[in-house]
């Protein structure tokens, strides 16, 4: 059964939601028994300790040297901590609305990966130093922090 918006229970007669492990990933699966379709709904996230180095990187980042051909969807990025979890918020450049907000898995002091499903899942976030300033490489873009 699922709970509908008006707090009523609804029975899924031809559908099942279950947990599975696929390629060492714990995932939530939706099975449509009527037509045999399966869909991954989500992956399990294990919260991590956020060290001071990563906490000091919290803030808004902007793309350096924007190409005229770049799609504005990848305009403004923000590293934030919400409920003790490191998050990456990608905002539309012109309207400022959040387009994507995945949890981040920290690999080491300079590398992390967005979690979840979709386009940028598993993309590398890499921090490097350039001319004495820290920069972030993500999805082929070079970013610098503009504010804390």
């Amino acid at each position: 059964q699922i709970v509908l918006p008006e707090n009523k229970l609804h029975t899924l007669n031809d559908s099942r939601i279950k947990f599975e492990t696929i390629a060492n990933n714990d995932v939530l699966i939706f099975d449509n028994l009527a037509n045999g379709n399966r869909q991954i709904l989500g992956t399990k996230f294990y919260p991590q300790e956020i060290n001071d180095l990563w906490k000091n990187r919290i803030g808004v980042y902007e793309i350096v040297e924007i190409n005229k051909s770049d799609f504005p969807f990848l305009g403004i990025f923000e590293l934030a901590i919400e409920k003790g979890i490191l998050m990456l918020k990608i905002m539309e450049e012109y309207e400022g609305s959040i387009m994507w907000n995945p949890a981040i898995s920290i690999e080491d002091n300079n590398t992390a990966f967005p979690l979840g499903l979709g386009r940028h899942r598993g993309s590398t976030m890499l921090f490097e130093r350039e001319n004495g300033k820290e920069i972030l490489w993500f999805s082929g873009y070079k970013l610098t922090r503009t504010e804390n």
Side-chain angles (χ1 to χ4, degrees), residues 114-126:
L115 299 173
L117 304 172
R119 159 180 258 180
H120 295 290
R121 179 186 186 266
S123 296
T124 302
M125 297 175 61
L126 178 64

Side-chain angles (χ1 to χ4, degrees), residues 14-142:
D14 294 328
S15 302
R16 299 289 180 265
I17 296 174
K18 62 184 179 179
F19 295 94
E20 284 187 24
T21 300
I22 301 174
N24 295 323
N25 293 297
D26 296 324
V27 294
L28 181 63
I29 302 283
F30 176 80
D31 278 328
N32 185 326
L33 303 175
N35 62 20
N37 288 339
R38 300 180 83 199
Q39 181 179 3
I40 297 175
L41 298 178
T43 59
K44 188 171 183 176
F45 170 69
Y46 298 92
Q48 296 177 288
E49 184 72 29
I50 305 168
N51 67 27
D52 289 339
L53 179 63
W54 281 94
K55 286 178 183 177
N56 289 331
R57 291 176 171 149
I58 299 304
V60 175
Y61 290 76
E62 291 183 334
I63 298 170
V64 177
E65 302 168 6
I66 296 177
N67 256 321
K68 290 181 182 177
S69 63
D70 281 341
F71 189 64
F73 148 87
L74 294 174
I76 299 171
F77 300 75
E78 181 181 359
L79 277 178
I81 297 175
E82 293 182 4
K83 298 181 182 178
I85 298 171
L86 185 63
M87 309 290 288
L88 174 65
K89 297 178 182 183
I90 297 180
M91 293 166 266
E92 192 171 49
E93 184 174 19
Y94 299 107
E95 296 189 22
S97 59
I98 295 175
M99 305 277 296
W100 189 56
N101 191 25
I104 301 299
S105 175
I106 299 169
E107 179 73 16
D108 58 36
N109 282 340
N110 296 314
T111 311
F113 303 96
L115 299 173
L117 304 172
R119 159 180 258 180
H120 295 290
R121 179 186 186 266
S123 296
T124 302
M125 297 175 61
L126 178 64
F127 280 92
E128 294 181 332
R129 295 210 66 81
E130 183 178 277
N131 299 326
K133 187 174 184 179
E134 192 168 63
I135 59 168
L136 168 61
W137 288 98
F138 177 71
S139 194
Y141 291 94
K142 178 180 173 181

